[in-house]
């Protein structure tokens, strides 16, 4: 994921772009809300106007939920793309951070020729789905033998959330529960006071 500048109908917007391959959505079992996700040919480096897929949040905030967005053109980092689809609400790919657009990897890297021949340039993460009976250690060993490098695997869910962020989230959750309890207690006290006053007024009226 990286920051990008998107030009839509002459209007410039800042966004977070994720570079993905055409297999990304199929691997995650995700389908588009509008249009389609990336498919064969969408990540070809020589495509004249490669496809781009939008997240629901970006479609809602930047394009005002325009249902005619499919086929519209936009420029990202100087390259013109065609909107192919909009993903469902809440989908951000394999990232736990905010994503606005999904850009075909090969098309985005056309501005960096020769990147795939630089042995020490690590700019991509590889997602795999373990087959039945396979282990992470076996996958790492097989990949390492092919790449002739040490390969480390880690679970996808929550893998990008650090321990500090987890502790902060836990403390905030506890604080939210505490505030809720205090609010309920205050409401109970107010209702009790009102009930006592009501009984007092009723007793006075009965005496009169």
């Amino acid at each position: 994921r990286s920051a990008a500048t998107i030009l839509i109908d002459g209007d410039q917007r800042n966004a977070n772009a994720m570079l993905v391959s055409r297999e990304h959505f199929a691997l995650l079992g995700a389908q588009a809300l509008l249009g389609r996700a990336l498919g064969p040919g969408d990540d070809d480096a020589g495509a004249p106007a490669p496809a781009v897929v939008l997240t629901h949040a970006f479609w809602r905030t930047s394009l005002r939920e325009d249902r005619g967005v499919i086929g519209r053109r936009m420029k990202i980092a100087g390259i013109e793309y065609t909107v192919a689809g909009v993903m469902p609400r809440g989908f951000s790919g394999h990232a736990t951070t905010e994503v606005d657009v999904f850009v075909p990897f090969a098309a985005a890297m056309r501005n960096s020729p020769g990147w795939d021949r630089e042995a020490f340039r690590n700019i991509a993460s590889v997602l795999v789905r373990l087959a039945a009976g396979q282990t992470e250690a076996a996958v790492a060993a097989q990949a390492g033998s092919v790449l002739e490098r040490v390969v480390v695997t880690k679970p996808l869910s929550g893998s990008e959330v650090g321990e500090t962020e987890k502790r902060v989230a836990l403390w905030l959750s506890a604080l939210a529960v505490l505030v809720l309890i205090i609010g309920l207690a205050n409401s109970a006290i107010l209702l009790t006071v009102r009930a006592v006053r009501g009984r007092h007024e009723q007793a006075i009226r009965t005496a009169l």
Side-chain angles (χ1 to χ4, degrees):
R1 190 180 70 91
S2 60
T5 300
I6 299 180
L7 193 64
I8 306 175
D9 297 333
D11 186 15
Q12 182 173 300
R13 297 178 175 87
N14 295 323
N16 295 316
M18 176 180 286
L19 276 57
V20 299
S21 68
R22 65 185 183 188
E23 294 87 3
H24 179 262
F25 301 97
L27 179 66
L28 297 178
Q31 296 183 347
L33 175 68
L34 295 177
R36 59 177 179 81
L38 298 181
D42 285 333
D43 59 352
D44 293 343
V52 65
V53 177
L54 313 179
T55 63
H56 189 278
F58 183 79
W59 173 60
R60 184 186 71 251
T61 58
S62 295
L63 297 170
R64 300 179 181 178
E65 298 186 0
D66 177 16
R67 302 191 70 86
V69 69
I70 306 302
R72 287 185 63 176
R73 300 292 183 93
M74 60 177 58
K75 281 189 175 182
I76 305 176
I79 300 176
E80 189 172 54
Y81 294 84
T82 301
V83 177
V86 177
M87 299 307 293
R89 184 189 302 271
F91 180 82
S92 60
H94 67 281
T96 57
T97 51
E98 182 181 357
V99 177
D100 296 309
V101 294
F102 298 96
V103 180
F105 193 93
M109 296 305 294
R110 66 172 59 175
N111 288 334
S112 302
W115 66 269
D116 54 340
R117 294 185 294 276
E118 297 181 15
F120 299 101
R121 187 173 186 181
N122 300 319
I123 59 174
S125 298
V126 179
L127 304 182
V128 297
R129 186 186 298 275
L130 295 183
Q134 286 286 349
T135 63
E136 292 185 27
V139 171
Q142 293 175 12
S145 63
V146 173
L147 299 175
E148 298 182 350
R149 302 177 63 179
V150 176
V151 175
V152 178
T153 62
K154 59 183 179 180
L156 181 61
S157 179
S159 61
E160 296 183 9
V161 181
E163 291 300 323
T164 302
E165 287 77 5
K166 291 179 181 178
R167 286 195 295 269
V168 171
L170 181 61
W171 279 106
L172 289 177
S173 299
L175 180 61
V177 172
L178 179 61
V179 171
L180 176 62
I181 293 174
I182 293 174
L184 292 175
N186 289 337
S187 298
I189 293 173
L190 291 175
L191 291 174
T192 302
V193 172
R194 181 177 297 178
V196 171
R197 288 179 177 175
R199 287 198 297 269
H200 181 67
E201 291 177 0
Q202 186 65 33
I204 295 175
R205 291 175 181 175
T206 300
L208 293 175

